[in-house]
Amino acid sequence: MFWGCEQLEEIRIPEHVKKIDAFAFEGCTSLRTIKVPESVREIGAGAWNGCSSLVSIALPSGVQIRGSVLDGCCSLETVDAPPE
């Protein structure tokens, strides 16, 4: 979807979104923060791989993560994920 958009700094995922596809934001090297809405039930493998400027991500409860989604996120400081 946004693969390789190096200028993308911010994304607001609408509340009606139910799934984030595999590699949707891979290589978005300027993306800094992500808040995944409660409506999202599934995140595909590699969704944010290579987002080297990503500092924080907030995930909803009950979301299914299909593989590694944060490979190469070397600036990541905070992952907010409710306990299962």
Side-chain angles (χ1 to χ4, degrees):
M1 182 161 58
F2 294 97
W3 181 86
C5 290
E6 295 175 354
Q7 301 302 314
L8 183 66
E9 295 179 9
E10 180 180 341
I11 187 77
R12 294 175 200 246
I13 301 169
E15 279 295 330
H16 67 274
V17 172
K18 301 213 180 315
K19 178 181 179 183
I20 296 173
D21 287 330
F23 308 104
F25 300 96
E26 181 181 34
C28 293
T29 55
S30 296
L31 195 58
R32 302 215 10 104
T33 61
I34 299 165
K35 182 179 184 314
V36 180
E38 289 293 325
S39 61
V40 173
R41 300 287 68 181
E42 182 179 337
I43 299 172
W48 294 286
N49 286 359
C51 293
S52 55
S53 295
L54 188 63
V55 175
S56 69
I57 185 168
L59 300 169
S61 59
V63 68
Q64 291 185 345
I65 298 174
R66 306 287 185 190
S68 178
V69 296
L70 296 168
D71 282 349
C73 295
C74 53
S75 298
L76 194 61
E77 296 175 2
T78 307
V79 176
D80 183 13
E84 288 299 309

